[in-house]
Amino acid sequence: MTAAPALRSADTWHPAEGVVVRGTVLLLPGRGEHPGVYGRFGRRLAYDGYRVQALADVGALADAARLAEQVDTAREAGGPVVLAGSDTGALLALAASAGAARPDGVLLVGAPATLPAGGTAEERPVWQDELTARTACPVHRGLLAADPDFRPGRLGVPVPAELAAAVEAAAPDLPVLVLHGLADPVAPPAAARRLAARLKRAELVLVTDGLHDVLNDAAHRSVAAQIVQWLERLRADRTALPHLLTVSSSWEGTTS
């Protein structure tokens, strides 16, 4: 039998030379994205001692088994290993964490609704301009608009039924951080609330005015800082009970 090809890590951001690696974040991009769009996020976490690998060639449930090898390899660098994903990458990270891959924690960003039986039409994407739906950050909007490798229009591609079913069944007994924008027009915040509520050890962070790509949105500095705090707690005590945390500058309009 021919061995499956190793996953290619297209972009890796390392802490500065001489800095002890505090952990590794393996990041799965979402629909239309490629690893390079996470350069700013990778550099920011690397500054705080965390190694970030944004993985290419990973986008289907069939890749989940191979992610286990990537997690094991990442452990050699030291510290906890977190499997993270944005958009459909978040769904794959969750499904893989409940299967062969056993990271120390899971980071789910902008996870789209899987619309199982009983899902409503209101949960379907409602947006016109893709850049407006993704981010309000002018720097990131400019980067995407000029990026020849970015594939616009992919946000409208439905979540594959096999992946949706795997996500609905996934309930890993691991610390999970769910990050979601309150103004996300692609993935409704209500879906993120339900996802966090059904996971045993999940924390939910809702970002005021946050759009779909909260890692690259206007509040990207605050979001990265929140992730670093969670990573630091994961390093200190991986069995600690979670608490619900909502990041908001205003408590109005946060019930959606």
Side-chain angles (χ1 to χ4, degrees), residues 45-138:
L45 263 63
Y47 182 83
D48 281 306
Y50 288 93
R51 180 169 160 268
V52 178
Q53 284 186 290
L55 303 178
D57 304 329
V58 185
L61 193 58
D63 298 314
R66 294 190 292 155
L67 281 170
E69 296 180 9
Q70 196 77 14
V71 170
D72 290 341
T73 300
R75 284 204 168 90
E76 297 174 4
V81 177
V82 169
L83 192 54
S86 179
D87 185 61
T88 50
L91 301 183
L92 181 56
L94 178 58
S97 298
R102 296 301 296 173
D104 300 299
V106 188
L107 171 61
L108 309 177
V109 182
T114 52
L115 283 181
T120 65
E122 287 73 19
E123 293 174 322
R124 298 182 184 279
V126 179
W127 47 274
Q128 299 296 326
D129 179 77
E130 181 168 344
L131 289 183
T132 299
R134 284 183 176 274
T135 178
C137 174

Side-chain angles (χ1 to χ4, degrees), residues 15-247:
E17 185 176 354
V19 175
V20 175
V21 176
R22 301 183 66 77
T24 297
V25 176
L26 299 175
L27 177 62
L28 308 179
R31 291 169 290 186
E33 297 180 323
H34 61 86
V37 304
Y38 288 98
R40 181 171 62 183
F41 174 74
R43 291 190 296 271
R44 192 175 300 281
L45 263 63
Y47 182 83
D48 281 306
Y50 288 93
R51 180 169 160 268
V52 178
Q53 284 186 290
L55 303 178
D57 304 329
V58 185
L61 193 58
D63 298 314
R66 294 190 292 155
L67 281 170
E69 296 180 9
Q70 196 77 14
V71 170
D72 290 341
T73 300
R75 284 204 168 90
E76 297 174 4
V81 177
V82 169
L83 192 54
S86 179
D87 185 61
T88 50
L91 301 183
L92 181 56
L94 178 58
S97 298
R102 296 301 296 173
D104 300 299
V106 188
L107 171 61
L108 309 177
V109 182
T114 52
L115 283 181
T120 65
E122 287 73 19
E123 293 174 322
R124 298 182 184 279
V126 179
W127 47 274
Q128 299 296 326
D129 179 77
E130 181 168 344
L131 289 183
T132 299
R134 284 183 176 274
T135 178
C137 174
V139 173
H140 194 63
R141 285 170 63 94
L143 183 152
L144 293 181
D147 187 348
D149 296 320
F150 172 67
R151 295 172 294 172
R154 296 302 296 271
L155 279 182
V157 176
V159 174
E162 183 184 19
L163 178 57
V167 168
E168 289 301 315
D173 187 13
L174 296 168
V176 179
L177 179 62
V178 179
L179 268 167
H180 212 91
L182 275 171
D184 188 341
V186 178
R193 292 181 186 274
R194 289 195 297 271
L195 176 62
R198 76 170 180 81
L199 295 175
K200 185 177 180 180
R201 300 169 60 190
E203 301 178 45
L204 174 63
V205 173
L206 298 174
V207 183
T208 300
D209 298 327
L211 297 173
H212 189 53
D213 296 346
V214 290
L215 295 183
N216 283 313
D217 201 7
H220 61 90
R221 293 178 181 83
S222 298
V223 168
Q226 187 66 52
I227 292 172
V228 169
Q229 290 182 36
W230 179 73
L231 290 170
E232 287 294 297
R233 287 190 283 116
L234 191 62
R235 277 178 51 85
D237 184 0
R238 300 178 195 180
T239 65
L241 294 175
H243 61 276
L244 182 67
L245 177 62
T246 300
V247 176

